[in-house]
Amino acid sequence: MYFLYNILTYIAIPIVKIAGLFSPKMKLFVTGRKTVFSTLASKIKKEDKTIWFHAASLGEYEQGLPVMEKIKAKHPNHKIVVTFFSPSGYEVRKNTKDADVVVYLPLDTKANAKKFMDLVHPETVYFIKYEFWPNYLNEVKKRDIKAYLISGLFRENQIFFKWYGGFYRKALKAFNHLFVQYESSKKLLNSIGFTNVTVSGDTRYDRVSEILERDNTLPFIEAFINDKTTLVFGSSWQKGEAMFIPFINNAKNIKCIIAPHTIGNDHINELQNSITKKTVLFTEMEGKNLADYDVFIINTIGILTKIYSYADAAYVGGGFGTAGLHNILEPAAFGVPIVIGPNHQKFPEAVALVQKGGCLVVNNPTEMEATLSQLAYDEHYRTEKGRIAGNFVKENQGAVDSIMKKIEK
């Protein structure tokens, strides 16, 4: 199977390049990898001490960041190298000050893995949540480099637990220790012979808790809100927008902020044209009296977390499609009640918060309008749901300390 895996990886290379001709995202995926090795060679010297963190995308990066910050503080003379697999992670965090080098992870071929490890020569390796690349992990094991998995999440349908998944199980042996989010993941790993497992919880709770200590002030949002009840629609996709726009068009005496996942001009124009209320775009707000508008469309990236701090209630996108639910913990950290779509079962934090009552699931426009209306106009109901959400985040903190104590032994 390992031989077949390597063959398929090489076959995928030209396919991915062809896909890059037709998809902007895949073009970034392909072109971004062309300069990886030259970048590493120019930024890392042979005598440098390095620590490598790998994240699939932006969400995993944010999940690993609290540990990265602790490691960086403990090893100030080491260079922190961060790799991303996805453009949606790399393009947003390529200039982060939290790392010394940020690059795409080259595709998982034996040659790429060897060349990457020769150039980076990490002292320690951290993989975040998932994405287990056999050739890279085999190279880590071969070089006897310490490796840790942070906030791992395993399900019984994964290849590790299949009869044909032996080469993937072997790759897991590269990790000195696996820190997982839930007891169920530990039991699955125990079932295939891994005992070096600790249930540490999810580092994202520590990460989102830290945002409460930042300056989340956005004067233009304050000017727009003008002391009115405010609903934020974060990381929305078209299917979700079709569900909540009727509510926005019918709502009275409230403010709405929409931060779409896609901010291309075509989508923003389509979204703006579907709203009958007085609407302003982030890119066109200069010189306008924002208090005069009912809907604020945030056609930029990087400020949604701060915007959640102004929300009285929030809808978080991704639950009506197959792309995956976006981060519900950021609004929850601010004590904001949350509304999501039905496709959330693969996100344990969403399942748990739904069960507790701080996150509300809607299936259609009728349910969306009823739920948003109750949150918008029933202050007692809204406050109670928000209290549950805020406490949920507080109760689940502590993963970072658990991980650091084990690593430092």
Side-chain angles (χ1 to χ4, degrees):
M1 288 298 293
Y2 182 47
F3 174 76
L4 179 60
Y5 171 84
N6 283 310
I7 292 295
L8 292 174
T9 302
Y10 278 105
I11 291 173
I13 294 173
I15 295 174
V16 168
K17 289 181 178 179
I18 293 171
L21 299 174
F22 303 96
S23 166
K25 186 173 182 179
M26 289 305 296
K27 183 177 180 180
L28 289 172
F29 184 95
V30 174
T31 59
R33 284 171 164 78
K34 290 181 178 179
T35 59
V36 170
F37 292 127
S38 60
T39 298
L40 293 174
S42 67
K43 292 189 175 184
I44 301 174
K45 300 175 182 177
K46 287 186 178 180
E47 62 269 24
D48 287 337
K49 293 182 178 181
T50 67
I51 299 172
W52 172 31
F53 284 81
H54 174 67
S57 191
L58 183 59
E60 290 71 39
Y61 171 82
E62 294 292 338
Q63 202 160 23
L65 188 55
V67 175
M68 191 190 306
E69 290 172 338
K70 295 278 188 181
I71 295 295
K72 187 176 180 180
K74 185 180 177 184
H75 301 281
N77 295 323
H78 285 61
K79 284 187 174 179
I80 303 296
V81 179
V82 172
T83 57
F84 286 100
F85 186 76
S86 166
S88 57
Y90 175 79
E91 294 300 325
V92 176
R93 289 290 180 260
K94 60 186 176 183
N95 296 316
T96 179
K97 295 179 180 178
D98 294 304
D100 299 284
V101 185
V102 182
V103 293
Y104 281 99
L105 183 70
L107 293 179
D108 187 37
T109 66
K110 285 185 176 182
N112 281 348
K114 186 179 186 306
K115 188 171 184 179
F116 178 90
M117 296 298 290
D118 285 343
L119 290 168
V120 177
H121 50 81
E123 189 175 284
T124 316
V125 175
Y126 296 87
F127 273 43
I128 304 161
K129 191 176 180 179
Y130 48 50
E131 278 211 345
F132 305 96
W133 300 110
N135 286 313
Y136 281 100
L137 290 175
N138 288 343
E139 201 66 35
V140 167
K141 181 70 173 176
K142 188 187 301 182
R143 298 177 188 225
D144 197 26
I145 298 169
K146 285 186 178 180
Y148 300 94
L149 177 67
I150 299 171
S151 291
L153 192 61
F154 292 86
R155 300 185 181 89
E156 60 182 347
N157 63 348
Q158 289 174 304
I159 192 171
F160 309 103
F161 313 107
K162 305 294 184 181
W163 64 266
Y164 50 82
F167 75 101
Y168 258 97
R169 290 191 288 274
K170 181 181 177 182
L172 283 184
K173 292 181 180 179
F175 292 107
N176 294 70
H177 206 86
L178 300 106
F179 297 97
V180 297
Q181 297 182 37
Y182 302 102
E183 186 67 32
S184 58
S185 291
K186 181 179 180 179
K187 288 180 178 178
L188 284 169
L189 288 167
N190 289 164
S191 74
I192 55 173
F194 288 88
T195 57
N196 55 334
V197 186
T198 297
V199 180
S200 59
D202 189 342
T203 53
R204 286 182 302 165
Y205 293 97
D206 298 274
R207 174 62 179 157
V208 297
S209 297
E210 291 174 1
I211 66 179
L212 300 176
E213 301 171 9
R214 303 180 203 163
D215 179 5
N216 292 298
T217 305
L218 293 172
F220 61 90
I221 294 294
E222 293 177 4
F224 166 74
I225 289 172
N226 198 26
D227 295 325
K228 288 188 177 181
T229 299
T230 302
L231 271 60
V232 174
F233 300 83
S235 302
S236 61
W237 293 73
Q238 284 180 305
K239 286 185 178 179
E241 289 160 4
M243 300 283 177
F244 65 69
I245 285 173
F247 163 78
I248 291 176
N249 287 338
N250 294 325
K252 295 180 180 179
N253 201 36
I254 66 168
K255 297 280 188 165
C256 295
I257 302 173
I258 307 174
H261 176 76
T262 301
I263 58 171
N265 289 335
D266 289 345
H267 178 62
I268 294 300
N269 290 336
E270 181 182 348
L271 178 61
Q272 190 171 19
N273 290 334
S274 68
I275 299 170
T276 58
K277 294 295 183 67
K278 196 173 182 182
T279 305
V280 62
L281 302 181
F282 174 86
T283 53
E284 298 177 357
M285 68 176 179
E286 291 300 324
K288 295 180 178 178
N289 184 2
L290 297 177
D292 291 340
Y293 294 86
D294 302 303
V295 181
F296 201 157
I297 298 178
I298 309 299
N299 55 336
T300 189
I301 60 174
I303 60 173
L304 178 56
T305 301
K306 290 187 176 185
I307 290 173
Y308 279 136
S309 72
Y310 291 95
D312 291 294
Y315 164 84
V316 175
F320 284 102
T322 58
L325 183 67
H326 289 275
N327 193 343
I328 67 165
L329 296 181
E330 288 184 349
F334 290 109
V336 175
I338 300 149
V339 179
I340 61 174
N343 300 338
H344 64 277
Q345 297 302 323
K346 291 184 178 180
F347 299 85
E349 71 280 6
V351 173
L353 190 51
V354 168
Q355 291 175 344
K356 286 182 174 290
C359 185
L360 308 167
V361 180
V362 298
N363 296 281
N364 52 58
T366 301
E367 291 181 8
M368 179 75 81
E369 183 148 10
T371 301
L372 292 176
S373 292
Q374 189 167 13
L375 288 170
Y377 302 113
D378 186 337
E379 185 177 356
H380 176 75
Y381 178 79
R382 182 174 71 237
T383 301
E384 176 59 19
K385 296 298 181 183
R387 183 191 63 79
I388 293 171
N391 286 341
F392 175 73
V393 172
K394 292 176 184 176
E395 291 164 1
N396 285 282
Q397 294 175 25
V400 175
D401 287 342
S402 175
I403 291 169
M404 293 306 298
K405 285 177 183 178
K406 192 80 175 180
I407 289 173
E408 292 170 351
K409 280 187 178 180

